[in-house]
Amino acid sequence: MIRIAIADDHQSLVDGIQLHLKKETDIEFVGTANDGETLLQFVRDQNPNIVITDIRMPKLDGIQATKKIKKEFPQTKILVFTMFDQEDAVKQMLKAGADGYILKNATLEDLLTAVRSINDGSSYFDEQISIPNIEEEPMANRDQLLTRRQYQILQLIAQGKTSLEIADELYIGVYTVDTHRKNMARILGLKGKGELLRYALERKYDF
């Protein structure tokens, strides 16, 4: 069962999402919040699997709330659900530890897909957004944009392991590993099949 909490300062939006997703047999809503402070306390009390949060919220915005949640509960997945498609907003949320990013003009079916993707260990990014261009940043800074699972996979790639070997070691599916590889290449601004391997090998002694 995927236990979900939603945070947004527009209650009507929260109600709409809840009404749509509660029909799914594998999803349970454990609560809602209209500001970041309430969300943080709710996560402490209820320990949901996934938090769906906006960026702009009163008291504590989504970026700061995500940082605090990830620090206290690193296993909790964060899905950003917002109207902000600016590169800087995406970058800040990735650095805060978000596992997915989807825009509010996406369909509810897309939102459901995003929820299930990050619950399965993959990251999810709306096709309408641009992943920040970080090619000019030092390699160590680029790694901060990866999720904890992606960083683990990057380390194993640096050891020369195949997707199948990585899947066996982390107890996840090969498809999930390959999805992570694609998302990591996109996040890191890498192009071509061999670029991720080369990047991992260059970082090998920094892990």
Side-chain angles (χ1 to χ4, degrees):
M1 185 68 69
I2 307 172
R3 304 176 72 250
I4 295 178
I6 304 176
D8 195 291
D9 59 352
H10 291 90
Q11 187 60 44
S12 59
L13 179 64
V14 172
D15 292 343
I17 295 172
Q18 193 168 359
L19 183 65
H20 179 75
L21 296 188
K22 74 177 183 180
K23 297 180 292 185
E24 304 299 322
T25 57
D26 59 337
I27 289 177
E28 175 189 359
F29 280 95
V30 294
T32 64
N34 298 123
D35 63 79
E37 286 186 359
T38 303
L39 170 63
L40 182 58
Q41 188 57 53
F42 193 85
V43 172
R44 289 168 176 160
D45 293 340
Q46 299 294 329
N47 194 24
N49 302 115
I50 293 177
V51 170
I52 300 173
T53 182
D54 196 358
I55 295 178
R56 180 178 291 171
M57 291 188 295
K59 297 185 181 178
L60 194 68
D61 66 29
I63 297 168
Q64 294 302 315
T66 295
K67 286 180 180 178
K68 290 177 180 292
I69 291 170
K70 282 294 188 176
K71 184 176 180 180
E72 293 186 37
F73 306 94
Q75 76 283 359
T76 300
K77 306 294 179 63
I78 306 291
L79 176 61
V80 185
F81 188 53
T82 183
M83 68 178 69
F84 295 109
D85 59 357
Q86 295 91 341
E87 184 175 297
D88 186 60
V90 179
K91 186 173 183 178
Q92 287 189 62
M93 285 304 298
L94 286 174
K95 284 189 172 182
D99 301 279
Y101 200 108
I102 189 168
L103 299 179
K104 286 184 175 178
N105 62 359
T107 68
L108 288 171
E109 288 304 317
D110 287 338
L111 179 62
L112 181 59
T113 298
V115 165
R116 288 183 171 141
S117 293
I118 67 172
N119 184 67
D120 290 339
S122 299
S123 52
Y124 185 95
F125 298 101
D126 196 307
E127 293 182 356
Q128 301 175 75
I129 68 169
S130 296
I131 299 297
N133 184 351
I134 56 171
E135 292 179 0
E136 301 303 318
E137 292 195 18
M139 286 185 175
N141 290 350
R142 297 189 195 188
D143 291 350
Q144 295 174 14
L145 298 178
L146 301 179
T147 65
R148 185 171 61 88
R149 175 66 84 191
Q150 289 170 342
Y151 192 72
Q152 285 179 316
I153 292 173
L154 187 66
Q155 290 175 304
L156 295 172
I157 291 172
Q159 295 172 24
K161 294 184 182 293
T162 65
S163 290
L164 179 58
E165 290 170 333
I166 293 171
D168 288 342
E169 182 159 338
L170 298 179
Y171 301 101
I172 58 178
V174 175
Y175 176 80
T176 299
V177 175
D178 288 338
T179 300
H180 275 306
R181 282 180 177 266
K182 290 176 185 175
N183 285 328
M184 289 160 65
R186 188 179 172 203
I187 291 168
L188 295 169
L190 305 174
K191 295 180 177 138
K193 290 181 103 176
E195 286 295 297
L196 184 61
L197 175 59
R198 187 173 75 175
Y199 177 86
L201 291 173
E202 288 174 351
R203 295 282 290 109
K204 183 175 182 178
Y205 298 106
D206 295 327
F207 294 132

